[in-house]
Amino acid sequence: MTASGFFSQWLEIVAALALAPLLTGWVNQWRAWLQNKSAPSLWQPYRVLHKLFNKESVLADNASPLFRAAPYVVFGCMLLACAIIPSLSTDLPLAPAADAIALVGLFALARVFISLAAMDIGTAFGSMGARREMLIGFLAEPALLMVVFSASLIAKSTSLTTIVETLAHRELVIYPGLAFSGVAFTMVSLAENARVPVDNPTTHLELTMIHETLILEYSGHHLTLIEWTVSLKLFAYSCIGLTLFFP
């Protein structure tokens, strides 16, 4: 592996860590503008992360080691997912691991850990949110696989780097299957990132919220990692969209 490959890999990781909150701030701004509301600052997610990081983490008395480890696991899964998506370069040391099934597996692993952590304390909200989260995963993850497989049929490989290199160097051709996959990917992205109409990240109504119920018991630096993970997941899905449909 060349030195430029290692540099590209580190650049992808640093870009994901630095730009993911910025993407969240940009999305929040547009949501406020579309609702004819005053938009928050573009840098608001960074301020929130800084504030939460400097607060003390409060844990329930019956919290298990799984509850403490879950924020680190989900954060690592999302960071690794951003690292294996060839968004800046295809010459990456992690390119052999950049497989469609491995990528969806990382999303599934993060979902399982955050759902188990939500049920660990034994609250009604946590168990309800975990069931809803697993139901969404049961529907969204196979759809995401089918989206990637539609592109892999063109490249004849499930490797993300091979898919990008194949699509980027082919002549401009309109693939109807890929167009329909883009529509499906948009719906999957809305569901996986807790967006309307599937979920609303700003609500606290117990009948409608899903993501918020999973993290009600977290605080301090644990909540910092989870909020950062949410931004990384949105960043990862944005990179997947660019990788598959605008390589």
Side-chain angles (χ1 to χ4, degrees):
M1 186 60 62
T2 62
S4 62
F6 282 101
F7 176 76
S8 299
Q9 187 69 79
W10 280 109
L11 186 60
E12 280 207 356
I13 295 175
V14 172
L17 291 173
L19 299 180
L22 185 66
L23 177 61
T24 301
W26 181 75
V27 170
N28 292 339
Q29 277 193 338
W30 273 99
R31 183 178 62 215
W33 288 333
L34 292 174
Q35 295 174 349
N36 199 23
K37 296 180 180 179
S38 178
S41 170
L42 191 64
W43 311 105
Q44 184 63 27
Y46 295 99
R47 299 191 184 110
V48 172
L49 293 177
H50 180 265
K51 180 183 69 174
L52 293 175
F53 186 77
N54 288 284
K55 287 190 174 182
E56 181 183 0
S57 295
V58 180
L59 299 174
D61 294 334
N62 58 337
S64 71
L66 173 65
F67 184 83
R68 297 176 174 88
Y72 300 95
V73 174
V74 296
F75 181 81
C77 287
M78 288 304 107
L79 184 59
L80 182 58
C82 291
I84 67 175
I85 299 171
S87 54
L88 299 179
S89 173
T90 56
D91 182 23
L92 302 174
L94 293 179
D99 185 81
I101 300 176
L103 179 63
V104 177
L106 287 173
F107 291 138
L109 181 63
R111 188 191 311 277
V112 168
F113 266 86
I114 196 64
S115 299
L116 291 177
M119 294 186 293
D120 183 74
I121 302 299
T123 60
F125 276 172
S127 299
M128 177 185 65
R131 289 194 295 268
R132 291 177 176 178
E133 180 71 11
M134 295 307 294
L135 176 61
I136 291 176
F138 174 77
L139 299 174
E141 287 167 3
L144 179 59
L145 272 177
M146 293 299 102
V147 168
V148 182
F149 284 164
S150 65
S152 68
L153 290 175
I154 301 173
K156 296 181 175 57
S157 173
T158 58
S159 172
L160 295 178
T161 54
T162 303
I163 293 174
V164 171
E165 290 175 346
T166 301
L167 294 178
H169 293 90
R170 290 175 69 96
E171 296 182 358
L172 181 61
V173 179
I174 298 177
Y175 298 98
L178 206 56
F180 284 109
S181 297
V183 177
F185 178 77
T186 302
M187 300 305 298
V188 171
S189 299
L190 293 175
E192 287 282 62
N193 290 283
R195 302 292 165 176
V196 178
V198 180
D199 192 8
N200 186 355
T202 62
T203 186
H204 285 84
L205 297 176
E206 63 271 15
L207 294 179
T208 59
M209 63 181 180
I210 300 175
H211 169 71
E212 289 297 318
T213 59
L214 302 173
I215 63 175
L216 283 176
E217 298 299 322
Y218 281 109
S219 60
H221 65 272
H222 288 142
L223 187 57
T224 304
L225 289 175
I226 292 178
E227 293 293 346
W228 208 345
T229 298
V230 173
S231 297
L232 285 172
K233 189 173 185 180
L234 179 62
F235 186 84
Y237 268 85
S238 301
C239 291
I240 293 173
L242 293 175
T243 296
L244 295 180
F245 306 107
F246 303 98

